[in-house]
Amino acid sequence: MSDPRLRCFPFGGVGEFGKNMMVYAIDEDAVIVDCGMGFPEPGQHGVDHVVPDISALDQLGLKIHAMLITHGHEDHIGGLPHLLPRLKLPVYATEVTVELIRGKLSETGYKADLRALPENGDTVQIGPFDVEGVPVTHSIMDAVSVAIHTPLGVIIHTGDFKLDPSPIDGRATALHRFSQLGDKGVFLLASDSTNATHPGSGPSERIVGPALRQAVAQCKGKVIVTTFASNMFRIQQIIDAAIACGRRVSVAGRSLERNMKITQDLNRLRIPAGTLVDIKQLQHIPDHELLIIATGSQGESRAAIGRIAQDRFTGLKLGHGDLVIFSSSNIPGNERIIAGLYNHIYRRGARVLHARQAAVHVSGHAHAHELKTMMQLTRPKYFYPVHGEYRNLIEHRDLAVATGIPFEQTIIAENGYSVVADHDGIAHGPGFHAGAVFVDGDSRDEIDDYVLRDRRFLAEDGMISATVLLSQHEGTLLADPELVARGVLHEDVSSDILSAAASDLAGFLSSLDLELLADLDATREEVRLYLRRWCKRRLGRRPMVLPVVVAI
């Protein structure tokens, strides 16, 4: 019988930030770790979020036993509502993460098989594997690294982590357990590369509390704090700051309300009676006695802080003396959107405080020294940097080599590039399709490449509609085509230009064979192609052409 081998299939989150999803297989038995979502890129018009394309799973020939979730951030669980109904797998996660997943899935009506992932050193058998969660600190409750015990040794997938020496809830990273796993024999360490470019160690979450209290105490008007809706450690410190400064707290954002209720019901979030006030009842509270926690720190247009900044939130207006605190980091690519949000806030007379001005946010990801500590504790045979853009992966591998892991026992493999490892070595395996599925969040429908292409055309070059009337029996034009332009510069499509295009189109259609004109679908395509080419030749643009051919 041949020796077992490990195969890794990164479907998301390797070579990018977001939509994290990894498949680990020993021979044909496999588990999936995380199932996240990402944000759309510029040019992906109308896309609310992006999830991994799992179509290649059918070709890999794997027997997948379960999903293992490291923590409850959207880039690790956001893909579940879309992908889990297809996969129909049991999902293992820790207490808070299970409830966050349950809350997300409740919006879809899908009843998932959610199971507890032990984090006390015990393991649960999943197929041929024994699996455990190893507690780590991060910017969310109950985060774990996943340890998969296999015949080759232990696979450790760290998920997002940091080594916070004084966590808010007292639940520290289980350094002793990582060391024990290192003693047992770690075959592969797949580790979070997000902050591999940052030297030293990151500050503790605890430093945010005093900075928040100071900022709130100095404000004479109302305070609005925006942060990630799942960061209950931060929410707790915001609430504590409000109470210390004699303020009531209101919540703006459905996801934030849901997450706070979940953690309150689990006795993990402490809110004294009388602290919370309904967002619709603010008119009775003086501004200097009010603090509002709002969603939308990344500038999402429909989120609470975006609507507040543009005076589109009923019953709540920003004004002089008010303070908006961004207790969050900018996800790469969102900088321009967030800067625009700042401008809206300043136009209303309020002020902005963010992490570059005061310690109102700290990262939940390990810096270089902490990453090296993880390697020293686990002493892996092979090292695979994940969770980050290509530069982060390279910097993380360099840290591994500096820590003493031989270069040839490390590997860089982005989404779509498999990894194969056994006792003899680690190498790249066959490539596989690992694209993205674009999702409209309201309808949860997939947006295919053709729809994106059409939206891009509309955004860049506009649209021209062409209405053509034909005689049903004679196959001749009954009148000149009627052209209407939308989203095209007026100087490009003045009335004279449209008249010339209509006249030329009429001449073109008159030259066509009557048999072709009798085929309305073929005529529509001829109209579309002719006008596209005409516009390119005369205007230097390619607007979308919407042909309407009517036979009378």
Side-chain angles (χ1 to χ4, degrees):
M1 187 173 178
S2 60
D3 291 336
R5 65 171 184 162
L6 166 67
R7 289 183 292 164
C8 312
F9 300 95
F11 277 82
V14 190
E16 65 177 348
F17 289 112
K19 70 178 178 68
N20 299 288
M21 183 175 181
M22 179 72 76
V23 177
Y24 292 107
I26 299 293
D27 296 332
E28 310 310 320
D29 293 295
V31 290
I32 297 174
V33 177
D34 290 332
C35 184
M37 56 157 275
F39 290 96
E41 297 177 0
Q44 294 174 345
H45 306 284
V47 176
D48 285 309
H49 57 266
V50 184
V51 300
D53 183 345
I54 61 172
S55 57
L57 276 179
D58 295 333
Q59 285 79 53
L60 296 179
L62 301 174
K63 183 179 181 181
I64 302 174
H65 296 279
M67 275 192 173
L68 315 174
I69 306 298
T70 58
H71 65 281
H73 275 150
E74 289 292 328
D75 57 336
H76 293 257
I77 67 171
L80 287 171
H82 192 78
L83 301 180
L84 190 56
R86 304 184 190 183
L87 295 170
K88 295 181 173 60
L89 295 170
V91 177
Y92 289 83
T94 49
E95 183 181 48
V96 169
T97 307
V98 161
E99 295 307 318
L100 292 174
I101 294 170
R102 197 187 310 278
K104 284 193 70 66
L105 294 177
S106 67
E107 300 174 0
T108 69
Y110 179 74
K111 300 298 183 183
D113 181 4
L114 303 178
R115 306 180 184 181
L117 180 64
E119 54 173 318
N120 59 356
D122 293 338
T123 61
V124 60
Q125 185 170 357
I126 301 175
F129 310 116
D130 291 322
V131 179
E132 64 179 292
V134 183
V136 294
T137 48
H138 184 44
S139 54
I140 191 172
M141 294 176 176
D142 283 10
V144 292
S145 296
V146 170
I148 307 167
H149 298 258
T150 79
L152 290 168
V154 182
I155 300 166
I156 295 179
H157 187 101
T158 67
D160 295 347
F161 79 99
K162 64 186 293 185
L163 305 183
D164 193 329
S166 54
I168 298 297
D169 62 351
R171 179 182 177 274
T173 298
L175 302 180
H176 65 286
R177 184 56 185 158
F178 284 112
S179 180
Q180 290 172 347
L181 293 171
D183 294 339
K184 183 175 181 178
V186 172
F187 184 72
L188 177 77
L189 174 65
S191 186
D192 173 19
S193 306
T194 303
N195 278 348
T197 57
H198 295 201
S201 298
S204 170
E205 173 68 25
R206 280 193 184 275
I207 73 167
V208 175
L212 286 171
R213 283 196 298 274
Q214 181 179 5
V216 173
Q218 292 174 347
C219 179
K220 304 300 183 184
K222 58 181 167 288
V223 177
I224 299 175
V225 187
T226 181
T227 189
F228 296 109
S230 54
N231 190 348
M232 289 300 114
F233 295 133
R234 190 66 49 80
I235 301 298
Q236 183 69 71
Q237 294 192 94
I238 294 168
I239 292 170
D240 292 345
I243 294 171
C245 297
R247 292 179 183 254
R248 305 279 298 279
V249 176
S250 191
V251 178
R254 187 174 61 179
S255 60
L256 183 56
E257 291 177 358
R258 182 185 66 209
N259 294 344
M260 288 177 64
K261 184 178 187 311
I262 287 170
T263 47
Q264 273 189 283
D265 290 345
L266 295 173
N267 295 317
R268 304 290 294 276
L269 184 68
R270 302 176 306 278
I271 305 178
T275 300
L276 292 181
V277 58
D278 192 295
I279 193 71
K280 298 175 183 177
Q281 306 298 324
L282 301 184
Q283 64 271 23
H284 305 300
I285 301 176
D287 284 355
H288 68 279
E289 295 179 8
L290 180 63
L291 183 146
I292 298 155
I293 309 174
T295 57
S297 63
Q298 298 307 302
E300 302 95 320
S301 61
R302 286 179 286 185
I305 192 64
R307 289 184 287 131
I308 292 170
Q310 298 182 55
D311 282 344
R312 293 187 290 111
F313 198 100
T314 303
L316 182 58
K317 303 289 184 184
L318 288 175
H320 291 279
D322 294 343
L323 176 67
V324 180
I325 302 174
F326 281 75
S327 185
S328 58
S329 59
N330 297 344
I331 293 175
N334 292 348
E335 291 85 359
R336 287 186 62 186
I337 298 173
I338 296 170
L341 193 56
Y342 290 172
N343 286 326
H344 287 304
I345 293 167
Y346 277 107
R347 284 192 179 100
R348 276 140 191 87
R351 307 288 293 181
V352 169
L353 183 68
H354 52 71
R356 292 188 300 276
Q357 299 167 314
V360 294
H361 175 71
V362 296
S363 175
H365 299 269
H367 290 203
H369 179 71
E370 299 162 87
L371 296 173
K372 291 169 74 174
T373 299
M374 178 62 73
M375 300 173 202
Q376 291 164 343
L377 289 169
T378 57
R379 308 178 298 283
K381 181 177 180 68
Y382 300 119
F383 177 73
Y384 180 14
V386 296
H387 298 353
E389 295 179 347
Y390 195 80
R391 59 191 172 90
N392 305 88
L393 307 181
I394 295 296
E395 293 280 357
H396 200 177
R397 180 182 64 183
D398 291 347
L399 292 175
V401 173
T403 306
I405 299 174
F407 180 86
E408 62 274 12
Q409 291 174 213
T410 69
I411 196 160
I412 302 291
E414 297 180 274
N415 300 339
Y417 294 89
S418 69
V419 172
V420 179
D422 57 24
H423 288 302
D424 296 326
I426 188 168
H428 291 103
F432 64 98
H433 178 68
V437 174
F438 309 109
V439 180
D440 182 319
D442 291 333
S443 64
R444 299 193 182 277
D445 283 341
E446 294 183 12
I447 301 172
D448 61 25
D449 292 338
Y450 297 106
V451 174
L452 275 182
R453 180 201 64 186
D454 290 348
R455 290 178 176 179
R456 196 172 293 117
F457 282 146
L458 287 170
E460 294 174 357
D461 291 327
M463 179 189 78
I464 293 178
S465 66
T467 303
V468 176
L469 297 179
L470 296 175
S471 169
Q472 186 174 16
H473 299 293
E474 299 174 7
T476 57
L477 285 173
L478 295 176
D480 280 349
E482 181 179 337
L483 304 186
V484 177
R486 292 288 184 268
V488 187
L489 292 176
H490 178 71
E491 55 265 31
D492 285 344
V493 287
S494 63
S495 57
D496 292 340
I497 291 290
L498 287 177
S499 296
S503 178
D504 289 351
L505 176 60
F508 168 72
L509 291 173
S510 298
S511 70
L512 294 179
D513 185 82
L514 295 182
E515 185 178 354
L516 187 148
L517 287 174
D519 185 338
L520 297 187
D521 288 337
T523 303
R524 288 189 194 95
E525 185 63 9
E526 291 292 338
V527 170
R528 189 186 70 81
L529 291 174
Y530 180 84
L531 285 177
R532 286 264 290 164
R533 291 165 182 159
W534 192 95
C535 290
K536 179 62 177 176
R537 185 172 64 252
R538 294 284 297 271
L539 308 177
R541 295 177 178 274
R542 287 184 180 273
M544 176 180 285
V545 175
L546 180 63
V548 180
V549 179
V550 181
I552 299 175

